[in-house]
Amino acid sequence: MKKSIGEDETLKKAELQLAASISCHCSLSSIDHIGEIVQQHSKGSVLEKLKLHHTKCSRLISEVISVALKSELRDELRGKNYSILMDETTDISSEKKVCLCIKYFSEKKQFMENKFLGLISVTETTGEALFDAMKTLLCEFDLDLKDCVGFGTDGANNMTEENNFVCSKIKQLSPNCIKMQCVNNSLALCVKKAFEILLSHLGFLLTEIPSWFKNSTGRRENYKKIFDTIYI
């Protein structure tokens, strides 16, 4: 009986390790083939009894591994100062999502960690709606907004405006929280402003040059030949 229990535990560990590996490195459907290959080449061992396909693998990831990782992260974050990284997007089905990541100092690893907290579906993208969605997710990890020391986002109005928006609402609870806007987004806004004061023909030229070359291999090759000829 003891041997049977030991084999059962070994098999469960193997299934969890395979499910975790699949979630990190490849698509879920891959386990249908990998599981069968492992089973075929494990005659005489515990893994001969392995029966793991995408349905079971999906349940292990969502109901066992995810729950354990979430609990571990909740324990590690308890009482710590942290920064929030937040952005909104619309997926291929036109459903609006809010992505939330967190940055904090890990005492276990002794360096700054970036962790993905979750992806939340929202029906509105007003500052108040996004703040409420963020607060709900933070509550799942027992995080207090008073401990938030930084807020990073792309600089959209509903995130960073001064009144009744996400950043302003965070500052009401954590006055020392520092707002950090995305560098790439800021550079894009700088370029946009620069184009507005350029002479129209210069702006047109700079806009059309990439379009002229990006979809034509022949044009790029001809340009390279001219460039090489000029600089020989």
Side-chain angles (χ1 to χ4, degrees), residues 35-114:
E36 291 175 0
I37 292 171
V38 171
Q39 187 183 39
Q40 289 171 8
H41 293 275
S42 303
K43 300 297 182 182
S45 73
V46 176
L47 294 180
E48 183 181 4
K49 300 177 182 178
L50 181 74
K51 293 182 179 179
L52 186 62
H53 294 85
H54 68 275
T55 302
K56 184 177 181 180
C57 185
S58 176
R59 298 290 291 274
L60 287 175
I61 293 170
S62 62
E63 298 181 17
V64 181
I65 296 173
S66 176
V67 173
L69 290 175
K70 187 175 181 179
S71 177
E72 182 181 326
L73 182 59
R74 184 188 295 111
D75 292 339
E76 188 173 8
L77 290 172
R78 188 170 288 116
K80 283 188 172 63
N81 291 329
Y82 61 90
S83 295
I84 296 170
L85 304 174
M86 185 176 181
D87 198 9
E88 59 176 290
T89 186
T90 303
D91 66 16
I92 195 171
S93 64
S94 299
E95 186 175 358
K96 297 182 186 300
K97 304 277 189 181
V98 176
C99 176
L100 203 65
C101 297
I102 192 169
K103 189 169 187 175
Y104 66 98
F105 180 76
S106 171
E107 294 179 358
K108 185 188 298 184
K109 297 181 180 178
Q110 289 297 300
F111 64 81
M112 298 301 295
E113 283 268 45
N114 292 304

Side-chain angles (χ1 to χ4, degrees), residues 178-194:
I178 299 172
K179 179 177 69 174
M180 297 166 286
Q181 292 187 205
C182 172
V183 175
N184 291 332
N185 183 264
S186 298
L187 286 174
L189 292 175
C190 290
V191 171
K192 181 181 177 182
K193 291 294 183 182

Side-chain angles (χ1 to χ4, degrees), residues 3-22:
K3 183 179 179 181
S4 176
I5 293 174
E7 288 180 351
D8 188 48
E9 289 297 318
T10 301
L11 193 59
K12 287 179 179 179
K13 288 180 180 178
E15 289 176 345
L16 287 170
Q17 287 178 340
L18 281 169
S21 180
I22 289 294

Side-chain angles (χ1 to χ4, degrees), residues 203-221:
F204 176 80
L205 181 63
L206 292 173
T207 303
E208 290 300 311
I209 286 174
S211 300
W212 178 257
F213 288 108
K214 72 175 183 180
N215 294 322
S216 174
T217 304
R219 291 171 185 164
R220 288 199 298 269
E221 290 302 317

